[in-house]
Amino acid sequence: MPFVELGLSPALARAAAALGLHQPTPIQSAAVPEVLRGRDVLGTAQTGSGKTAAFVLPLLQQLGDEPPQAPRRTRVLVLVPTRELATQVGETVRAVLPALPRRLKAAIVFGGVSINPQMLHLRGGAEIVVATPGRLLDLIDQHAIRLDAVATLVLDEADRLLDLGFAEELARILALLPARRQNLFFSATFAPAVQALAGQLLREPVRIAIAAEPADRPDITQRAIAVDAPRRTQLLRHLITSMAGSARWCSWPPSTPPSRWPTSCAARA
Ligand code: AMP
């Protein structure tokens, strides 16, 4: 079992297989052993590289090996930029939890929905919390969660966290974490602000850079079409209907009346 060779338990490897994960992806091969060793990780990886399982599997194994505590203390905090990513990471976490030698609780929290069910769920604590920054701070302010026992922080899609304006929230959260902890930092891009954040967080990180597969790179061609302002909506409607399912675009002079626009741009491209 290839995941066992990376250091995961047979039960976790079986849980991975049940999720369709039989052969580790490159980021999983590189990251799983390092995470299990307790190293900080700086991962350059896109969505689709398998980065979620690359941190979820080893972190849950570590958690499962810890002695239970009552109430439960939050040991792993995963910060994500969006509700969708929180849900996706949460699904992987919840699928793997039954494979652990003891019962662990996960809380997946994000904004845009009522906070009350999330507060109720957090009663009694949760060892692993996946959160968007704003909602996490709301829950901290409501005394629904404490971060003083966090052993591992994961920043997933760190570039998007900053792009979406979470820098201040991140700073507040980081100030609440224990200084000694493991940090896993994943980002698809490394603009200066992302590099600065990585530099601030990570201690002698293992660097893992996974180049995007050609299939991961969207096939986008940019093109400008000159059009009179009153006819923009009409043009847009035409482009959407005629280009649906096609990767090809075309342009035509703005003087062409809409009645003479081609029904299929692809035919003219
Ligand atoms: P991620 O990059 O974590 O967003 O993962 C993207 C997709 O790849 C998810 O649908 C995973 O189920 C799938 N995936 C992750 N690891 C593997 C693997 N080792 N083998 C096959 N599929 C995988």
Side-chain angles (χ1 to χ4, degrees):
M1 295 170 88
F3 277 103
V4 173
E5 283 160 26
L6 297 179
L8 294 177
S9 71
L12 270 176
R14 279 194 296 275
L19 288 172
L21 282 54
H22 299 284
Q23 290 295 329
T25 64
I27 193 162
Q28 290 160 6
S29 297
V32 168
E34 301 295 350
V35 176
L36 288 173
R37 260 179 226 129
R39 294 285 308 267
D40 279 11
V41 169
L42 176 59
T44 311
Q46 322 272 337
T47 291
S49 60
K51 67 180 165 52
T52 309
F55 65 81
V56 166
L57 292 169
L59 289 180
L60 289 189
Q61 171 150 314
Q62 280 175 336
L63 270 182
D65 290 342
E66 289 184 359
Q69 289 187 326
R72 299 168 190 272
R73 307 177 80 194
T74 299
R75 302 285 290 151
V76 171
L77 173 64
V78 183
L79 290 178
V80 296
T82 62
R83 166 188 183 150
E84 289 73 24
L85 191 56
T87 306
Q88 186 196 321
V89 174
E91 279 169 6
T92 305
V93 169
R94 290 203 168 119
V96 173
L97 282 182
L100 299 178
R102 69 184 179 98
R103 264 191 83 194
L104 293 174
K105 191 166 139 197
I108 319 302
V109 296
F110 44 77
V113 294
S114 166
I115 197 169
N116 295 333
Q118 296 175 354
M119 289 178 63
L120 274 178
H121 184 69
L122 279 165
R123 278 199 189 153
E127 285 91 352
I128 175 160
V129 172
V130 181
T132 52
R135 177 51 56 96
L136 179 66
L137 285 170
D138 292 343
L139 289 162
I140 291 167
D141 292 342
Q142 302 277 344
H143 306 290
I145 185 170
R146 295 173 56 146
L147 302 182
D148 54 356
V150 169
T152 304
L153 168 72
V154 182
L155 283 196
D156 197 6
E157 299 196 358
D159 47 355
R160 291 184 69 205
L161 277 164
L162 294 183
D163 285 349
L164 293 173
F166 283 126
E168 266 179 39
E169 284 89 345
L170 280 179
R172 267 190 70 196
I173 293 166
L174 295 178
L176 297 170
L177 295 172
R180 275 183 65 86
R181 58 172 195 266
Q182 182 181 24
N183 298 287
L184 312 180
F185 190 104
F186 295 94
S187 191
T189 57
F190 278 88
V194 183
Q195 283 179 32
L197 182 61
Q200 175 197 339
L201 282 182
L202 298 166
R203 272 180 307 168
E204 297 174 13
V206 179
R207 289 166 193 269
I208 303 173
I210 305 296
E213 294 293 318
D216 294 341
R217 289 193 209 116
D219 185 14
I220 295 173
T221 306
Q222 292 191 9
R223 195 151 189 182
I225 301 177
V227 64
D228 301 337
R231 288 194 285 166
R232 274 195 308 226
T233 309
Q234 215 170 352
L235 170 61
L236 181 62
R237 192 178 297 123
H238 171 79
L239 289 172
I240 290 169
T241 50
S242 65
M243 291 288 94
S246 167
R248 303 176 77 191
W249 286 63
C250 67
S251 60
W252 58 91
S255 55
T256 311
S259 58
R260 292 185 49 216
W261 288 356
T263 49
S264 164
C265 278
R268 287 184 44 153

